[in-house]
Amino acid sequence: QLTQSPSSLSASVGDRVFITCRASQGVNRNLAWYQQKPGKAPNLLIYASSTLQGGVPSRFSGSGSGTDFTLTITDLHPEDSATYYCHHLNGYPRTFGQGTKVEI
Amino acid sequence: QLQLQQTGVALVRPAETLSLTCALSGGSLSGDDWSWIRQTPEKGLEWIGEISQRGGPYYTPSLSGRVTVVLDTRNSEFSLSLKSVTAADTGVYFCARGLRVEGVTPPRTGQLDVWGQGTIVTV
């Protein structure tokens, strides 16, 4: 089970925001982060806890291992308004966090 | 460039079977994982199941017994069947590729990097 916090946040352009994801049992570094905008499929941002997917802006970063992970967005842009999900890939069944809605 | 195209019935009667297909273009089923995910207002994103040519299928426990995921290598597609549906199965269903690459650092261990367009299913 993955628990994200906060469930939503409001921030301003240029801010730095942190989203955390806690796993009920260790998942090593097998954690990914996705961004989803309304009416669209999720988009992979980060995998293996901290590796940026190709084409993703460098203002997105990830960290953590075991049970505690963080997605950081620095220099928040208006287009970062979205819902963010963590997702573990350490065995089966896979699960997603419940999501964090970021409003600008 | 791999693309996934979903097809299937969008309106399903209660107690009947939901059937969706995800067809590949610009790639093959070999080497990677193939997943189904759904999204509902109540549960958010829910991983349904996964299959690959190496193994599986694997299913989420809450749906195990009702769900079947099948690979069709001849037609380069994979499918989802969910039987005995109820209103709780209403949602948006996505197919996705879980990329697998070994010999790189870090290895790709099934991150969902290509998604279908989504199908709104109503029970």
Side-chain angles (χ1 to χ4, degrees):
Chain A
Q1 188 176 348
L2 298 177
T3 303
Q4 288 183 232
S5 61
S7 55
S8 66
L9 66 90
S10 182
S12 300
V13 171
D15 283 355
R16 178 184 300 180
V17 300
F18 301 92
I19 299 170
T20 65
C21 179
R22 174 161 288 178
S24 58
Q25 48 190 300
V27 298
N28 297 304
R29 291 178 60 84
N30 292 321
L31 191 105
W33 290 96
Y34 300 84
Q35 176 192 67
Q36 187 181 31
K37 297 186 178 181
K40 301 290 188 181
N43 180 52
L44 178 64
L45 296 176
I46 285 169
Y47 62 97
S49 175
S50 62
T51 304
L52 211 60
Q53 172 73 351
V56 174
S58 59
R59 63 180 181 273
F60 292 93
S61 63
S63 63
S65 67
T67 59
D68 293 295
F69 300 85
T70 301
L71 173 69
T72 303
I73 313 172
T74 57
D75 188 23
L76 203 62
H77 282 41
E79 59 266 33
D80 300 335
S81 179
T83 302
Y84 294 84
Y85 295 91
C86 57
H87 174 221
H88 90 78
L89 299 112
N90 197 70
Y92 297 96
R94 316 292 208 201
T95 55
F96 289 90
Q98 81 277 18
T100 296
K101 186 173 184 179
V102 174
E103 294 180 324
I104 312 294
Chain B
Q1 184 83 350
L2 177 71
Q3 292 185 320
L4 301 178
Q5 180 67 39
Q6 297 177 221
T7 56
V9 176
L11 186 61
V12 186
R13 292 188 175 86
E16 295 192 344
T17 298
L18 179 164
S19 296
L20 297 173
T21 298
C22 187
L24 279 66
S25 62
S28 79
L29 292 169
S30 176
D32 296 317
D33 302 332
W34 305 96
S35 297
W36 288 97
I37 301 100
R38 70 181 181 181
Q39 187 163 32
T40 63
E42 296 77 23
K43 290 190 171 183
L45 286 174
E46 181 179 18
W47 181 85
I48 297 172
E50 176 191 293
I51 194 169
S52 73
Q53 290 186 313
R54 298 182 318 280
Y58 306 96
Y59 302 125
T60 190
S62 63
L63 298 178
S64 185
R66 293 202 294 134
V67 64
T68 304
V69 176
V70 175
L71 273 183
D72 181 350
T73 54
R74 198 167 103 177
N75 293 307
S76 289
E77 60 187 32
F78 60 108
S79 63
L80 168 71
S81 295
L82 182 65
K83 62 183 182 183
S84 305
V85 296
T86 70
D89 296 310
T90 293
V92 182
Y93 286 71
F94 296 98
C95 62
R97 176 181 77 171
L99 183 63
R100 290 273 185 176
V101 181
E102 301 292 337
V104 296
T105 303
R108 296 287 203 149
T109 57
Q111 297 83 12
L112 305 173
D113 69 326
V114 179
W115 293 67
Q117 78 276 22
T119 302
I120 301 173
V121 175
T122 303
V123 178

